[in-house]
């Protein structure tokens, strides 16, 4: 028998689907079926496999955990934690790879195109039944043939580039191998910068004041990576004090964004509230991904999305 | 000397550019430089060439007008008017062809993708600093691989199909040659219908109650053609009383949309206020288009966008 602790907040229907597709030897425990924290913790400590982003501190207390399947692509919370300081025997940690590329890319383009075609502004006008109509037309922009700089070369970046090809955009992807000179020239040249960067020691505040200062006044900044990779104070200063066309932020330093944060009020900022990865079948697809990986795990084969810390 | 009456509402800068590029033999009169209606009318009646969408009724009073360059792609107001009833000698009417394809297509996709990624809803949430975040994710949809039916085969339709290719959509274009059976099946099958239809006797209320009733409950209706080609009452009924995922309306029967029209308040309706054709350089590009056509006109060559009524 194998005990499986499920931390992810699945609906009853999704739980039934998952349970119905587990081998008979696997016994699931769904954490959200109880409010008893002690019971949850006990079930966790008895489980060899965990599905979902449990409190990273818990891992130190469970040296016999064999496999942790995260329900996210990001894993920075788990990096440099327990398995460096604690004698964990054989823990494998896997994330969801190639999973959020399309949904996040669609939100990145929806946000950028939305600013260009003033969809956000038109939606706000609708709440007060205000017709502006033709007077808005000179302020509209086209995504057609724009120069787009994408930070990153992963799934999100690839999907975004694929979508932008339909708009005949001139797309540049950059990564660790890109020289400072090439990057700086690309920043100076870009009509929009789309950051897809994950959080790690190399990406913290990557879009800092110095890099943001290279952007054209007409540029748009899009962040669908991690909030920590962008210097929000520097972005705010450029949006408020120096011209910058706008920003689309799916991620911010603090989420939920605090009420007093001035980003809420800036007219050319669109906040998509970390919904970028979402889509109707997201949880069902996560379950399918896990079931495929579970099959590999039970057959002692290499897991999909295995992280190397 | 050739007198040119300019009806389009150009800025002083645009007027200077146009004047600076006219041959010395052409004398422009900019209607918006005066509020004197009698003076405008007198200038119109003296002009051999008109640039801009003047009152169609005026044309009957000016049998010597030689060329009318419309500043729109649509020309239904001018169809079946003066030149059928009045002995106009040699009037040529030209519209702007291949001009609004890309901007209108970008608004169509921005609206549809905006509904799928909830950009309109997120923009509204931002006005009240309301964080919903992850709870929205199950409601998000993807444009990826959706079945999109485009009504029309013109520039807007072609540009829209080109953009949707980047989302790997399954796109069907229909036209006059499409059989009723094929069209009805496509309506039943579509995740979204994008109408790019111009107004003419064949397209009036083309998307009527019967055709709208074929759509799936999850379908989205996008109208970037003419408001008159869609039965708004029938659409309203489907949006209110029967499930229908949403609608993006760049055009409506009445524009500006009256305050009491229930479309303003429907949560899944996005009104883009006939901004679809707009972009920053729209007027400058119209001037360039006119100047090219003027050169053809002065050299007695066939004009671009010549309409056959």
């Amino acid at each position: 028998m194998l005990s499986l602790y499920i931390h992810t907040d699945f609906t009853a229907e999704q739980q039934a689907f998952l349970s119905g597709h587990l081998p008979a030897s696997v016994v699931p425990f769904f954490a959200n079926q109880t409010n008893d924290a002690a019971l949850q913790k006990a079930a966790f400590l008895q489980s060899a496999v965990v599905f979902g982003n449990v409190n990273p501190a818990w891992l130190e207390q469970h040296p016999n955990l064999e496999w942790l399947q995260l329900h996210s692509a990001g894993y920075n919370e788990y990096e440099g934690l327990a398995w460096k300081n604690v004698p964990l025997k054989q823990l494998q940690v896997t994330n969801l790879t190639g999973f959020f590329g399309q949904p996040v890319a669609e939100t990145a383009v929806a946000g950028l195109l939305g600013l260009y075609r003033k969809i956000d502004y038109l939606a706000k006008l609708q709440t007060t039944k205000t017709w502006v109509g033709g007077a808005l037309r000179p302020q509209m922009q086209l995504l057609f043939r724009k120069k787009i700089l994408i930070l990153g070369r992963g799934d999100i970046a690839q999907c975004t580039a694929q979508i932008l090809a339909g708009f005949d955009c001139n797309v540049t992807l950059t990564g660790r191998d890109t020289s400072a000179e090439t990057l700086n020239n690309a920043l100076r040249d870009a009509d929009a910068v789309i950051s897809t960067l994950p959080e790690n020691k190399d990406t913290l505040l990557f879009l800092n004041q110095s890099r943001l200062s290279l952007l054209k006044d007409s540029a748009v900044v899009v962040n669908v990576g991690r909030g920590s990779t962008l210097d929000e104070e520097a972005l705010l200063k450029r949006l408020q004090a120096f011209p910058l066309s706008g920003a689309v932020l799916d991620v911010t330093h603090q989420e939920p964004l605090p009420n007093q944060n001035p980003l809420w009020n800036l007219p050319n900022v669109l906040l998509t509230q970390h919904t970028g990865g979402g889509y109707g079948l997201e949880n069902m697809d996560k379950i399918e991904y896990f079931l495929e990986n579970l099959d590999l795990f039970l057959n002692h084969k290499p897991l999909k999305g295995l992280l190397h810390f």
Side-chain angles (χ1 to χ4, degrees), chain A residues 239-260:
Chain A
L239 285 163
Q240 289 172 323
F242 307 94
L244 190 67
S245 190
V248 179
L249 302 176
D250 194 47
V251 288
T252 43
H253 286 201
Q254 283 185 272
E255 296 174 19
L257 191 71
N259 215 48
Q260 69 279 13

Side-chain angles (χ1 to χ4, degrees), chain A residues 10 44 81 128 136 139 192 234 282 286:
Chain A
F10 292 123
F44 165 76
L81 236 183
T128 54
L136 277 174
Q139 298 169 43
E282 179 185 1
K286 285 179 179 177

Side-chain angles (χ1 to χ4, degrees), chain A residues 5 10 37 44 69 120 133 141 151 166 174 179 194 202 207-208 218-219 226 240 256 258 287 291 305:
Chain A
Y5 183 82
F10 292 123
F44 165 76
Q69 171 67 61
D120 58 326
Q141 290 188 70
L151 305 179
T174 56
S179 73
I194 301 177
D202 297 327
L207 271 179
N208 54 20
S218 59
R226 277 289 176 266
Q240 289 172 323
I287 290 171
L291 288 171

Side-chain angles (χ1 to χ4, degrees), chain A residues 272-292:
Chain A
T272 55
Q273 305 194 10
H274 212 137
T275 60
Y279 60 102
L281 293 174
E282 179 185 1
N283 273 348
M284 290 303 279
D285 283 356
K286 285 179 179 177
I287 290 171
E288 304 264 16
Y289 186 105
F290 171 73
L291 288 171
E292 284 177 36

